[in-house]
Amino acid sequence: MHGDIDERVPQGGAKLLTVFALPGAVLGFLFWLAVEAVEAGGSEPSRLWLGLAMALVVGAAIYTLSVSRGQILKATTAALGLAVFTGIMFALAQGGQGAAMSEEVIPVAANMVILVVALPFLRSAFRGFTPTDYPPLYADAWNIPAIIGIAGGFTLAGHLLALLVGALFQFIGLGFVREMMTEAWFLLPYSGMLAAVGIGVIRQREAAVLSARSIKMALLRVTAPVFALCVTIFVVAVMLRGFGSLIGDLSPVGTLTAAGIVSLIMINAIVGEAGRPEGVLFGATGRLLAVVLLFLMSLAVYGLAMRVMGEGWTPPRIAAAVAIFVTALYAPIYAAAGLTEQWVILRQGNIAISALLVIIAVLVQTPAFRPYDWSVASQVGIIEADPEGATTADLAFIRSQLGEPGEAAFEALSNDPRFAEIANLTPQTDRWRFEERVGAANRALEEGRLRVHPEGSDLPPASLLMLDRLLRDPDLEAVLVVASETDLWLLAPDYLLADDGMNLLTMTHLFNEGRAFSARSRAELSFGSAAAAQQALDALAENGLLLEERTFRLPVLMGQPVIVDSGVLEPYEVQAPAEPAPPLTPTDPLGPETEAPR
């Protein structure tokens, strides 16, 4: 070691060019070729090219973050081996249900987990340590994010510099240089080169990495006592008030799991490289977080279990179960380490669970991971247990949300005499969502929260999405004034300005674009009291909206009208006096049979 320079990393400009810059540019170019091939495949890209793209990302990360002096061949071999493995896994996952249910999120996340777990072990092995030597693993687990973060900033600065250079060249008539810098074939190799050089330079300056890591860990330690206190208060409150709020949907369960992950990170920051907390405050905080983590994950497991017992498994719940299971594995280990103050248990647990993480990341990319099949079995079981309670929405969910297994299950249910009738009424694709919106509008009509003029008019199908968003507020009363089959005016109370007591109504002009209505313009109508605003709403509901046609005088230049703000055009001529809006021609409230608006 010489000063703040890490002599294990290749030194000098020539080494930086040949060991980092050139491989980074080449890998970036190959990644561009893979991306082009994937895009050329359209909706069904080749698994080969998808796997190659993932392999290039993983291989580049392994090589640039682990290559050291005298071990270039070893780093290249390790990068190539892990790249091939992750590329094969990612390609294999393309035919699986995990990729289909998550639009590639699960396979991408799984391979990133493999990369993140493997990197510290590889870097440690290149320095002569064994997989059970915890200090170098711990150091790399914190150093690597610091290196990537600083290198990311360097890459961004490099792109900003390229934009500046392109602008300068454009001033002297070389605009093609600026255009070239926006092309993918240039951007990806350039990004690869910048990232590789940035990582190489930062790895050489070990002091900078250690400084960034120490700042990050200091911030985590400082905030840990406050976070531990807040989470403890939350857990106590849940125990006293009951668990009902945890089973409504996946949001509380996800929040609990996120809080558990933050607790894990903070505990490791507190324990530190020394292997135990420093000081009484941090020692108490570490023990408290270790115990609270056990409660957090117990609540997360309970919330998910109650939801599944009530409504069965679905793909999102299965994905949530995987995340909760992995995080919950740490809870008893950390609790045991905190309660006994034997923090070596934490170290051993982290190493053991790292291996398990890789196994899970591999499994979710194989045919063994079948979230659609498991969800179909669960949902069909619920329906068959209570045939009379089955609805079209239940069957539509199976048919449209559970992939090919769901379609096959729907066909089987259609041939079952108990479900044949509702199966025939079940809409295709996402039409069940559309029916739900119709039902929401009808309920609002029955409750008087939604009034339509002329009274009794059917709602245009494409307006239901806009109304659905509005009517989710149970306290909101709205008036929909129907002007024609293409234009609607929607009036709704906005908010109360407490300072001057002025009530506002928002008038939105909606235009029918076929599949949905979009807002064309909005205006705020001010009233001096709530009674006046309500009187205006009542009058509009009873009499409708009066429409007046106006013609403005516009300046014309070279035969083309000059469009200016119509609000300041004066004078204008009234072409037709105000008259009631024409009634809407009755339509089928469910819209076309073939496809429902989204």
Side-chain angles (χ1 to χ4, degrees):
M1 196 74 65
H2 177 70
D4 65 345
I5 301 296
D6 187 348
E7 296 179 354
R8 294 169 301 194
V9 182
Q11 307 293 321
K15 291 290 186 181
L16 198 63
L17 177 64
T18 58
V19 177
F20 289 100
L22 185 58
V26 171
L27 289 170
F29 180 75
L30 293 176
F31 184 73
W32 169 72
L33 291 178
V35 170
E36 288 290 305
V38 168
E39 292 180 350
S43 60
E44 297 183 0
S46 168
R47 291 191 190 185
L48 174 64
W49 290 110
L50 286 168
L52 178 60
M54 176 58 67
L56 289 168
V57 171
V58 173
I62 293 292
Y63 173 80
T64 56
L65 286 164
S66 64
V67 65
S68 57
R69 181 176 294 181
Q71 295 186 331
I72 296 177
L73 180 59
K74 184 182 293 186
T76 303
T77 303
L80 183 61
L82 196 61
V84 170
F85 176 73
T86 53
I88 291 174
M89 292 308 305
F90 191 69
L92 178 65
Q94 302 310 306
Q97 297 180 11
M101 66 164 274
S102 64
E103 297 182 353
E104 309 298 336
V105 172
I106 287 179
V108 170
N111 283 291
M112 291 303 101
V113 167
I114 294 173
L115 172 63
V116 169
V117 172
L119 263 172
F121 285 94
L122 287 173
R123 283 166 56 96
S124 176
F126 291 165
R127 297 198 299 270
F129 296 101
T130 67
T132 58
D133 288 329
Y134 189 77
L137 295 174
Y138 179 90
D140 281 336
W142 291 90
N143 287 346
I144 290 171
I147 295 172
I148 293 175
I150 301 173
F154 173 77
T155 304
L156 177 60
H159 279 287
L160 294 176
L161 184 62
L163 289 176
L164 176 60
V165 170
L168 291 175
F169 274 94
Q170 189 172 26
F171 288 146
I172 59 175
L174 300 177
F176 73 91
V177 175
R178 185 173 185 178
E179 294 177 2
M180 177 191 71
M181 291 181 175
T182 63
E183 297 292 335
W185 63 263
F186 172 84
L187 287 174
L188 291 176
Y190 182 60
S191 299
M193 182 191 70
L194 287 175
V197 170
I199 290 173
V201 171
I202 295 160
R203 287 184 58 207
Q204 290 175 356
R205 275 73 181 171
E206 186 183 44
V209 178
L210 294 176
S211 177
R213 188 186 88 181
S214 63
I215 292 172
K216 178 173 60 177
M217 295 183 67
L219 292 173
L220 287 170
R221 289 192 187 110
V222 168
T223 56
V226 178
F227 179 77
L229 179 61
C230 293
V231 174
T232 303
I233 294 173
F234 164 78
V235 170
V236 173
V238 170
M239 295 296 182
L240 293 176
R241 298 181 60 181
F243 306 102
S245 61
L246 302 179
I247 60 176
D249 52 43
L250 287 179
S251 179
V253 175
T255 303
L256 289 167
T257 305
I261 293 172
V262 172
S263 299
L264 289 173
I265 296 172
M266 287 186 169
I267 292 170
N268 281 281
I270 289 171
V271 173
E273 197 168 355
R276 64 174 44 252
E278 297 179 1
V280 176
L281 176 60
F282 290 135
T285 301
R287 291 191 298 274
L288 179 59
L289 280 175
V291 174
V292 168
L293 174 63
L294 188 62
F295 282 94
L296 285 174
M297 298 318 301
S298 297
L299 291 174
V301 171
Y302 172 82
L304 181 62
M306 291 297 99
R307 190 70 190 275
V308 170
M309 289 174 63
E311 300 179 12
W313 287 105
T314 62
R317 290 171 197 157
I318 291 172
V322 173
I324 293 171
F325 172 73
V326 170
T327 311
L329 287 176
Y330 289 92
I333 297 172
Y334 279 46
L339 291 173
T340 63
E341 297 189 51
Q342 299 294 318
W343 295 104
V344 68
I345 299 175
L346 180 147
R347 294 183 168 198
Q348 296 167 346
N350 283 343
I351 294 175
I353 294 178
S354 295
L356 186 59
L357 282 174
V358 173
I359 294 174
I360 293 174
V362 170
L363 286 176
V364 297
Q365 299 182 78
T366 66
F369 184 63
R370 305 193 309 275
Y372 282 153
D373 288 338
W374 299 333
S375 298
V376 166
S378 176
Q379 296 299 321
V380 170
I382 292 175
I383 291 176
E384 291 182 340
D386 182 20
E388 296 182 358
T391 66
T392 57
D394 296 330
L395 270 66
F397 177 80
I398 293 175
R399 182 184 196 177
S400 62
Q401 302 297 309
L402 300 182
E404 294 182 2
E407 294 177 2
F410 178 84
E411 291 300 322
L413 291 171
S414 301
N415 296 324
D416 190 322
R418 296 173 298 173
F419 309 108
E421 182 176 354
I422 59 173
N424 291 331
L425 298 175
T426 299
Q428 295 183 4
T429 63
D430 288 336
R431 190 172 171 80
W432 68 281
R433 297 182 184 273
F434 185 46
E435 288 184 340
E436 287 184 346
R437 291 175 182 146
V438 173
N442 289 336
R443 287 192 297 273
L445 284 168
E446 294 173 358
E447 296 168 359
R449 292 197 298 121
L450 173 64
R451 290 180 285 177
V452 180
H453 182 87
E455 186 175 358
S457 299
D458 291 327
L459 297 175
S463 70
L464 294 174
L465 178 59
M466 184 74 71
L467 283 172
D468 183 61
R469 294 172 181 168
L470 182 70
L471 295 172
R472 290 177 186 177
D473 184 353
D475 299 323
L476 184 63
E477 180 181 3
V479 174
L480 178 66
V481 182
V482 179
S484 69
E485 293 187 12
T486 57
D487 295 87
L488 303 176
W489 279 264
L490 178 65
L491 280 89
D494 196 335
Y495 52 85
L496 178 65
L497 298 179
D499 294 339
D500 55 10
M502 183 72 72
N503 283 76
L504 298 179
L505 293 180
T506 298
M507 174 180 283
T508 305
H509 178 200
L510 306 176
F511 177 72
N512 190 352
E513 294 184 335
R515 292 180 62 84
F517 272 71
S518 62
R520 172 174 284 179
S521 61
R522 286 185 174 87
E524 288 186 343
L525 309 180
S526 302
F527 298 87
S529 66
Q534 186 61 49
Q535 184 178 2
L537 285 173
D538 293 339
L540 285 167
E542 182 178 353
N543 303 318
L545 189 68
L546 300 180
L547 302 179
E548 180 180 273
E549 292 184 9
R550 296 184 175 188
T551 300
F552 293 92
R553 295 188 176 93
L554 298 176
V556 177
L557 180 63
M558 302 293 292
Q560 297 295 326
V562 180
I563 306 299
V564 296
D565 185 0
S566 61
V568 297
L569 287 175
E570 295 292 349
Y572 62 84
E573 297 178 355
V574 177
Q575 297 295 104
E579 60 183 19
L584 179 70
T585 303
T587 61
D588 174 12
L590 287 182
E593 288 297 327
T594 57
E595 190 171 18
R598 298 181 186 273

